Amino acid sequence: MRKRIVIVGVSSAGISAAAAARKTDLDAEIILISEETRWPYSRCGLPFVLSNEVPSFKEVRLFPPSYYRLMKLDLRAGISVKSVNTDTKTVQMETLDQQRELVEYDRLVLCTGAASAIPPIQGIEKRGVFSLRTVEDGMRIQKWLENAENAVVVGSGFIGLELAHALKNLNINTTVFERCPHVLPEWFDKDMADLVHEKIQKQGVKVIVDAKIEEILGGDYVTGVLAGGEQYNADTVLLATGARARTQLAKQMGVQLGKFGAIQVNSRMRTSIPEIYAAGDCVESFNMITGHATLSLLGTTAERQGKIAGINAAGGYATFPGVLHSVVSSMFNFEIGATGFTEQYAQQNGWETTAGTITAKTRAEYFPGGKPITIKVVAENDLGKIIGGQIIGGEEVTQRVNLLSVAIQNQMSVSELAKADTCYAPSVCSPWEPVILAAETTMMRRNRRREP
Amino acid sequence: MRKRIVIVGVSSAGISAAAAARKTDLDAEIILISEETRWPYSRCGLPFVLSNEVPSFKEVRLFPPSYYRLMKLDLRAGISVKSVNTDTKTVQMETLDQQRELVEYDRLVLCTGAASAIPPIQGIEKRGVFSLRTVEDGMRIQKWLENAENAVVVGSGFIGLELAHALKNLNINTTVFERCPHVLPEWFDKDMADLVHEKIQKQGVKVIVDAKIEEILGGDYVTGVLAGGEQYNADTVLLATGARARTQLAKQMGVQLGKFGAIQVNSRMRTSIPEIYAAGDCVESFNMITGHATLSLLGTTAERQGKIAGINAAGGYATFPGVLHSVVSSMFNFEIGATGFTEQYAQQNGWETTAGTITAKTRAEYFPGGKPITIKVVAENDLGKIIGGQIIGGEEVTQRVNLLSVAIQNQMSVSELAKADTCYAPSVCSPWEPVILAAETTMMRRNRRREP
């Protein structure tokens, strides 16, 4: 009998689950339910439309409509799921014009994603305050920015800095506020974060750390923010204060949640209810190094998990190996990326660590166009295993993050990575690969510490 | 007592040995003996000076003179070693003006490198025939090319293609001849090599494979070549037909050579004579996958080996892990790189293999500036372990080669690599990292083969 797989939510996780399910079961009926009315798109692309690096919001569409026909995916847009009955295995759906429909499922995949986390700041409801999650959000922001002169970005994670970059590209005076003592607090240690801070300020963006927004000022419209007792003028406030798993439906269904309040899944991405899988921002992931629960909230994690959920929901077998929070982006004239634990996080969680940082160039010294790159490698002190890496560079940061991620996945020690057989040509790298140098520096610092 | 370390040869291996020896023993006397009269330089940079990407031969100098003072390295240039007496531990040196000097050593490190392999072709002595090994070679070629119109490159390895690129940059009609059935025969399988072939031809360089140069035509001066019975006009012939270890001194000393005729060393880079180490193009390496002897002849290998030799010669302890022949270069508008075994080599050596190849883009589909990239991953069929990779792409090839190299070093299977936690931003990569897709494709092809 033909199996029916219903996927709720069609961002990265849902789309990936659908494709994997189709590849696993060529006959299954696959229904994708989307709240949004537009073709599925890349959320990660939105800041780059605002920055004008991508010409329009139309561009970030994931696939042409023909893709869904080709893959025989029944994409239903503009439909919300009101409830799920796990006994009768039915989904109660409602269209935009409030037509209801009951759909049976054999397997259900919850990819309900996350919503922007809105901090409880007084005045947050004022006009001119935005968060960016959907194309509609993006369009509203883009239109608003046409008349903006002074903007505040709240939060200096990756999205916050991408937004600051976009604002600067539009010649809007921009100030980034970060509650923590340094930018990128989840991804970078202070030493590396301070380099990013400095680079951003050099681009003309003001960055204020250790600063909580106490109030958003103005009448109906934003006129400024109050932070640390000081007033800052602003006609625009962009919130980049993270996201929270959307679990309302899961809760209603009785699906078990984890310690962070997101959906708990096993390594096959199955929830506490056997026929129900979940993937993406709405689930709790686990860390590849420790096996402990963690929230990932990354598009790549959503895609990787969606694939596993799709394969298993369709009757295949695949397991998810956990996450390392590998992340990268480009902004202004540089790229930043990280994977694994920061040294600060590791130490706060009881690890003893040694880190090594080097600054080198991306090409041979004598080759024109080489750019500086700074790499920090974090190792634990017992076996010298690599547990994290942070990179700031003018080019080719992405694959170096991936290299460190794969090193962590393989539980490599810094000594082992220092022996890697890297390639070289003066036009594309330096003779001593900077990642390897950083590993070697960490190894030598660790050896020195171990000497009596 | 102060130890004296004498290093013969100051290209990549010698320079690296000296630096590592100095870091290991701050007091040792370190003497570097160079045949050449100029400051040590990067051989890998020479083709890029010919192409005008690097403005002059002066640029490829490795370090400023102050480096040698700072590191307390006694660099003696323009000196040849006439003989070594391993009983008295003395080196007989001779200056350019034939002054002789006897120098004692505690440890000797042979970094005598390689010389261009000159094939026994009739007419090879004619004016207009060159090979590129030293700055002097490069200067002669550069001067000659001022009046060149038609050039032939013999050999389509990395250096051959870099030279073809340089010639094309100088608007010289260029034809590359390759004896084997496809270009890059040591590094690429035919399927991937044919893509390179096509890309080079599109740049206006003629490539003729399966073609042995039978004769170099002309009087005193080259006027053409004879290949496959056909005549091709040429005023210039650049030989890129590999290199041979320079082992004359080692032989004279009674140092044992290996099966390929290069110096045999153990994993500490020690020769058959305890106080004598060797590193770089003059030694026989071993393959990281098989442990079997192999010739590497790469600058990176020389540097890695030089470091190990230097540490050990200075009384430290370090071992060399073997080579994977990881290689990369840029030419025309693309980059190529490889690591490990080609499928053809593996199969010829008794492996059963599965390979997967994918073509993707280096950025998100919708992000401007993304370039095509084609990646081939080769796995052996028993455990699915990765044994090789080949990449052709518009950008960011280097670190993907390194990623595959580290995967091989860790004996990863394609299934394991397919689970890597890669990073993503639309501006710098695609959501599904192409290396991971290639591993996954290989995994799926292998799984299909294993089905009954």
Side-chain angles (χ1 to χ4, degrees), chain B residues 379-392:
Chain B
E380 56 78 39
N381 279 352
D382 187 10
L383 301 167
K385 287 193 190 297
I386 300 163
I387 56 171
Q390 297 153 51
I391 309 182
I392 310 162

Side-chain angles (χ1 to χ4, degrees), chain A residues 228-284:
Chain A
E230 273 195 63
Q231 286 195 20
Y232 299 85
N233 288 339
D235 47 45
T236 307
V237 174
L238 300 187
L239 302 171
T241 43
R244 284 197 213 300
R246 293 177 68 205
T247 54
Q248 206 185 347
L249 181 64
K251 271 188 219 161
Q252 174 265 316
M253 291 160 60
V255 164
Q256 195 171 327
L257 304 186
K259 65 191 264 199
F260 294 110
I263 299 171
Q264 203 170 50
V265 288
N266 68 10
S267 62
R268 292 180 73 178
M269 306 309 296
R270 210 176 73 179
T271 69
S272 57
I273 301 177
E275 302 82 18
I276 301 177
Y277 294 80
D281 288 356
C282 62
V283 309
E284 215 159 271

Side-chain angles (χ1 to χ4, degrees), chain A residues 16 42 44-45 48 53-55 59-61 162 288 300-301 303-304 307-308 318-330 335 339 366-368 395-403 405-407 409-410 412 416-417 419-429 431-433 440, chain B residues 16 42 44-45 48 53-55 59-61 162 288 300-301 303-304 307-308 318-330 335 339 366-368 395-403 405-407 409-410 412 416-417 419-429 431-433 440:
Chain A
S16 173
S42 155
C44 301
F48 298 92
E53 289 167 278
V54 173
E59 305 285 329
V60 299
R61 194 176 71 182
E162 284 171 359
M288 206 187 269
T300 34
T301 301
E303 290 193 338
R304 291 164 59 226
K307 180 185 275 194
I308 303 296
T319 60
F320 185 70
V323 300
L324 290 172
H325 305 290
S326 304
V327 65
V328 72
S329 197
S330 66
E335 301 174 6
T339 185
Y366 58 80
F367 203 92
E395 58 183 348
E396 305 229 5
V397 166
T398 311
Q399 301 306 324
R400 288 181 166 106
V401 170
N402 290 346
L403 186 67
S405 169
V406 165
Q409 182 186 356
N410 282 287
M412 280 182 105
E416 286 166 337
L417 185 57
K419 291 200 188 281
D421 186 87
T422 54
C423 58
Y424 164 63
S427 52
V428 287
C429 50
W432 291 106
E433 166 50 37
E440 198 175 48
Chain B
S16 173
S42 156
C44 300
F48 298 91
E53 289 165 278
V54 173
E59 304 285 329
V60 299
R61 193 175 74 180
E162 284 171 0
M288 207 187 269
T300 36
T301 300
E303 291 193 339
R304 291 165 59 227
K307 179 185 277 194
I308 303 296
T319 60
F320 185 69
V323 300
L324 290 172
H325 305 292
S326 303
V327 65
V328 72
S329 197
S330 66
E335 302 174 7
T339 184
Y366 57 81
F367 204 93
E395 58 182 349
E396 305 231 2
V397 166
T398 311
Q399 301 306 326
R400 289 181 166 105
V401 170
N402 290 346
L403 186 67
S405 169
V406 165
Q409 183 186 357
N410 281 284
M412 280 182 106
E416 286 165 338
L417 185 57
K419 291 202 188 282
D421 187 87
T422 53
C423 58
Y424 164 64
S427 52
V428 287
C429 52
W432 291 106
E433 165 51 38
E440 197 174 49

Side-chain angles (χ1 to χ4, degrees), chain B residues 7 9-20 32 40 62-63 67-68 73 75:
Chain B
I7 300 171
V10 292
S11 192
S12 299
I15 286 294
S16 173
L32 281 159
L62 284 173
F63 299 107
Y67 172 82
Y68 301 91
L73 303 176
L75 175 62

